Amino acid sequence: MPLTLPIFLIMALSSVVVGVYLERKISAFIQDRMGPMEVGKWGLLQLIADLMKLLQKEDIVPAAADRKLFLLAPLVIFTAIFAGYAVLPLTPDLQGSRTAIGLFFLMTIISVDVIGILMAGWGSNNKFALFGAMRSVAQIVSYEIPLGLVILCVVMTAQTLDLQAISYQQGVYSDEPVYLFGLKPLGIDVSQVGGVLSWNIVRNPFLFLAYIVFFITTLAECNRAPFDIPEGESELVGGFHTEYSGMRWALLFLSEYAMMLLVSLLGAILFLGSWNTPLPNIGPVRLADWTSGAPGTIWGNITAGFWLITKAGFAVLLQMWVRWTFPRLRVDQLMFLCWKVLTPVALVLFFICGVWRLMMV
C-alpha cells in the first residue's frame, strides 16, 4: 500500500518522541524526582531542545578512524531495523509486504544490525568502542538462539510464517476453528467468541511462558537494561557509539527506540492476539464484533490499529520499568542466563509445543 511507508515512519518517529519523554518521566517517578519540567509545559518541549542541540553539534570523524566504516555503520543499523517494519501487519488491510515468509524475513533482516554494530566499533579505532561492539555482538548472537526457538513455538502452533495469517487466527475472523486451549478433543470452538480466548497464549498456554522468554531475550536484543553491558558507562563510556556525535549519534539512538517498538509489536502479533480485540462475544453482547470491526472498513482498521499499538505500548512501558528497576548483569551472569537457563527452557517449550500441536490435529 502506498500509505504504508509514511505511516510506519511516523510510528517510528513518534515512538522516539513519546518514548524519550515517557522514559524520562517514568525513571523520575521510580526515583522520586520530577524529570524534565523547565522546557515547555510539563517539560514537553525538552526533546525539541535536545534535537536542536544535536543538530548544532559538529559531526566529528576521528582522524584515526576508518572513515567509510565509521560513516556507513549508523546507516546499516538504521536500515536493518526499519526494514523489519515492512512485514508487520498494523491492521487487517495495512501491511507493507504481504509475503508468506514475513516472519523469516523479519528475523533475518534485523540480524544485519549486528554487522552495523561491529562496523561502528571497528571503524572507530577506539578500544572502548571495539570492546563495546564485541560485547554487543556476542550478546545479540547468543540471545538469538532462545529467541528463535520461542518464535518457532508460535510457528508450530500457527503452521505458517505469514504474520497476517497468524493475526487472523487469533480472532473472530479466523477462517478455521479455534478450540479452547487448542485442544480439539474438548470440542469447545471459540472462533465465534473471539477476544482473549483466541489469543495464542490461550490457544496454547505454554506460549505464555514462551512470551516471557521472548520478552527477556528481546531486552538483550535491544541492549536494554539489565542487558546494557555493551554500553556500560563505568567501563566502556558509551559502548560501540562512543566516538559518534551530533545527528549520527541521534540516528543510533533513534534505531534503539525503533527496535524497542519493533519487538513489542512482534510480541503482540505472535502472542497477544495481534490487532484483534481482547473483548470476547458474550451471548447477545457482541463485544468482539463491535470492537474489532470488519476487515476492509475504516472502523475495522482504526480499532485494529488501536489494539495493536496499545498492546505494544504496554510492552514498551514494561521495558522502561525493567530498565529503571533491575541492576545491570555481569558478563558471566548474562551468558549463564542465556545458555544455561533460557536456551534449555526454550528447547523444552519447543518440544512441548510440538506435542501440543499434535493434540490439536
Side-chain angles (χ1 to χ4, degrees):
M1 294 180 65
L3 292 176
T4 302
L5 180 59
I7 287 176
F8 278 126
L9 284 176
I10 291 172
M11 280 178 55
L13 292 174
S14 62
S15 72
V16 176
V17 174
V18 177
V20 172
Y21 179 77
L22 278 180
E23 181 141 28
R24 287 180 170 184
K25 283 295 188 181
I26 290 172
S27 63
F29 174 77
I30 292 174
Q31 297 173 354
D32 195 23
R33 46 188 183 82
M34 298 299 292
M37 291 292 293
E38 299 298 326
V39 187
K41 185 70 171 178
W42 302 305
L44 288 171
L45 298 180
Q46 182 64 53
L47 185 66
I48 305 300
D50 292 340
L51 180 61
M52 295 302 298
K53 178 186 69 174
L54 290 171
L55 284 171
Q56 296 175 63
K57 277 191 171 183
E58 183 181 358
D59 182 17
I60 299 173
V61 179
D66 186 321
R67 186 176 181 86
K68 290 183 180 179
L69 287 181
F70 186 86
L71 297 179
L72 189 59
L75 182 61
V76 171
I77 297 172
F78 180 87
T79 304
I81 293 174
F82 275 83
Y85 282 89
V87 294
L88 291 181
L90 185 60
T91 72
D93 303 309
L94 183 58
Q95 183 180 11
S97 175
R98 300 177 183 271
T99 175
I101 56 170
L103 185 55
F104 180 76
F105 169 83
L106 176 62
M107 293 301 298
T108 303
I109 196 66
I110 62 175
S111 297
V112 177
D113 76 327
V114 171
I115 299 175
I117 291 172
L118 195 56
M119 289 170 60
W122 182 268
S124 296
N125 196 22
N126 176 304
K127 63 180 180 180
F128 297 109
L130 181 58
F131 288 158
M134 294 303 295
R135 282 187 180 186
S136 185
V137 170
Q139 175 175 306
I140 292 174
V141 171
S142 297
Y143 276 82
E144 280 181 352
I145 303 300
L147 175 63
L149 287 171
V150 294
I151 287 178
L152 283 177
C153 292
V154 178
V155 172
M156 280 197 299
T157 301
Q159 294 291 290
T160 180
L161 290 168
D162 188 340
L163 290 170
Q164 191 67 280
I166 294 174
S167 300
Y168 270 104
Q169 290 179 12
Q170 301 180 76
V172 291
Y173 300 112
S174 175
D175 56 359
E176 59 184 40
V178 179
Y179 295 100
L180 184 63
F181 302 129
L183 297 175
K184 188 175 180 180
L186 292 178
I188 305 176
D189 187 356
V190 295
S191 56
Q192 297 305 310
V193 178
V196 69
L197 295 178
S198 298
W199 291 5
N200 277 336
I201 58 173
V202 177
R203 292 174 63 196
N204 181 348
F206 290 99
L207 288 183
F208 179 75
L209 298 176
Y211 179 68
I212 295 175
V213 176
F214 175 89
F215 181 79
I216 295 172
T217 54
T218 52
L219 286 177
E221 289 287 309
C222 298
N223 284 336
R224 296 284 296 182
F227 303 99
D228 59 339
I229 295 176
E231 302 171 10
E233 298 89 349
S234 58
E235 65 269 20
L236 295 178
V237 187
F240 65 89
H241 50 67
T242 299
E243 297 290 353
Y244 285 90
S245 63
M247 287 308 296
R248 295 190 189 280
W249 180 88
L251 195 62
L252 294 171
F253 193 71
L254 173 65
S255 301
E256 178 180 324
Y257 274 84
M259 184 67 166
M260 288 173 58
L261 179 62
L262 178 64
V263 297
S264 297
L265 288 168
L266 181 61
I269 292 169
L270 295 179
F271 298 94
L272 305 178
S274 187
W275 39 257
N276 292 287
T277 176
L279 305 176
N281 289 326
I282 305 174
V285 184
R286 313 296 292 178
L287 294 177
D289 295 338
W290 299 338
T291 58
S292 290
T297 64
I298 296 177
W299 172 249
N301 283 279
I302 291 175
T303 55
F306 168 78
W307 289 121
L308 181 58
I309 296 300
T310 300
K311 296 170 186 175
F314 276 112
V316 171
L317 289 175
L318 187 58
Q319 289 177 339
M320 294 178 181
W321 171 74
V322 168
R323 174 180 180 179
W324 298 102
T325 303
F326 294 97
R328 179 182 297 138
L329 298 177
R330 299 194 311 266
V331 174
D332 61 310
Q333 293 172 329
L334 181 141
M335 289 304 173
F336 177 89
L337 179 64
C338 175
W339 293 108
K340 294 191 175 181
V341 179
L342 295 181
T343 299
V345 169
L347 284 169
V348 171
L349 287 172
F350 181 72
F351 173 77
I352 292 175
C353 288
V355 175
W356 201 271
R357 176 62 193 178
L358 293 176
M359 298 172 65
M360 292 170 59
V361 179

